[in-house]
Amino acid sequence: MPRNLYAHFRLYLLASLLLDVKATFRNFTIDDSDPSWVYGPYGAWNIGNECHGCDAQPEAELVYNQTWHDAAFYAPPNSQTMAFPNEPFTANITFNGTAIYVFCIMLNSATYPIFGDSDMIFHMDGIPVSTYQNTPTENLDTYTYNVPVFAMPSLEYGLHRLMIQNGVPNGTNALILLDYIIFT
Ligand SMILES: *[C@@H]1O[C@H](CO)[C@@H](O)[C@H](O)[C@H]1NC(C)=O
Ligand SMILES: *[C@@H]1O[C@H](CO)[C@@H](O)[C@H](O)[C@H]1NC(C)=O
Ligand SMILES: *[C@@H]1O[C@H](CO)[C@@H](O)[C@H](O)[C@H]1NC(C)=O
Ligand SMILES: *[C@@H]1O[C@H](CO)[C@@H](O)[C@H](O)[C@H]1NC(C)=O
Ligand SMILES: *[C@@H]1O[C@H](CO)[C@@H](O)[C@H](O)[C@H]1NC(C)=O
């Protein structure tokens, strides 16, 4: 083929290759309000942005899509305040990809307006793979947004089941304010 055309062809190949790589590794955000989430036990999570009785009240403007899910695990002996005493909260989602990142909102308080302690376990395809714990010691009553609580950047490409567990039976108090996940 003519030299000029050949150069064009090579450029085209290079461009399509680059585009292909970009298309192969693309991030998608799934909001906590997405219908593909399964939250449990039934009715135990609060839709934080609609929950006026919830103690944790972050600023909606700073939250992805202005929505979040709120669940407070009260450890024994206070667990009788829960509808399902001593039962951890779970949020399940299935995604098709090679990486996953979970983002939460953190309450920087020990006790007021509620405990800001975190105690999460992340299960991938049924196997516990990671934990996130945090114990605020002051009562700042402020929030930190977009906190990465879980990252698994190199998964085998395909369908994966993520389960986020908030609280551990007979463990410690644990608050979760789930905002969104990103998967690649
Ligand atoms: C996807 O998002 C994560 C978390 O923000 C980031 O670390 C990663 O580099 C992103 N990957 C791509 C392909 O944009
Ligand atoms: C944002 O939240 C609303 C519910 O308040 C939901 O219907 C909508 O799908 C969400 N948008 C995105 C991009 O997730
Ligand atoms: C999430 O998945 C696990 C494992 O399959 C299951 O035990 C748990 O009940 C599920 N949670 C919800 C809310 O469906
Ligand atoms: C994952 O997505 C890719 C691209 O859309 C598709 O070809 C593949 O069949 C999907 N895998 C599963 C297990 O759904
Ligand atoms: C929690 O502790 C109580 C009292 O020690 C015990 O009876 C119960 O089996 C424990 N539950 C779990 C899930 O470990």
Side-chain angles (χ1 to χ4, degrees):
M1 87 177 71
R3 206 185 164 81
N4 208 18
L5 203 64
Y6 181 70
H8 270 98
F9 183 67
R10 280 211 322 196
L11 204 65
Y12 167 80
L13 267 186
L14 186 67
S16 54
L17 197 69
L18 284 175
L19 280 174
D20 208 44
V21 166
K22 244 177 101 188
T24 306
F25 295 102
R26 203 179 137 201
N27 272 349
F28 299 89
T29 305
I30 304 181
D31 190 31
D32 67 288
S33 71
D34 193 280
S36 50
W37 284 102
V38 182
Y39 291 101
Y42 182 75
W45 289 72
N46 292 301
I47 298 174
N49 44 295
E50 291 175 1
C51 178
H52 300 292
C54 287
D55 295 312
Q57 294 290 342
E59 274 184 67
E61 294 70 34
L62 299 176
V63 176
Y64 179 76
N65 195 32
Q66 305 199 8
T67 64
W68 67 95
H69 269 66
D70 172 312
F73 177 84
Y74 287 81
N78 298 317
S79 60
Q80 64 269 19
T81 60
M82 294 165 69
F84 302 88
N86 210 18
E87 194 176 320
F89 297 76
T90 56
N92 289 348
I93 197 159
T94 299
F95 63 95
N96 179 2
T98 59
I100 182 100
Y101 309 86
V102 179
F103 296 87
C104 286
I105 308 156
M106 290 295 145
L107 166 62
N108 305 309
S109 285
T111 55
Y112 178 84
I114 185 176
F115 47 81
D117 305 64
S118 306
D119 193 5
M120 307 175 201
I121 304 179
F122 300 90
H123 306 250
M124 188 62 69
D125 303 320
I127 298 163
V129 289
S130 176
T131 61
Y132 183 89
Q133 277 145 347
N134 182 40
T135 309
T137 51
E138 294 177 86
N139 279 326
L140 300 178
D141 196 7
T142 60
Y143 295 87
T144 308
Y145 301 84
N146 306 304
V147 177
V149 292
F150 176 60
M152 211 154 173
S154 53
L155 285 163
E156 199 180 310
Y157 182 47
L159 276 189
H160 294 284
R161 260 184 316 123
L162 170 70
M163 178 172 99
I164 304 174
Q165 175 185 339
N166 182 58
V168 175
N170 291 340
T172 57
N173 290 338
L175 176 72
I176 183 170
L177 305 169
L178 178 65
D179 192 1
Y180 61 97
I181 62 170
I182 291 176
F183 76 93
T184 311

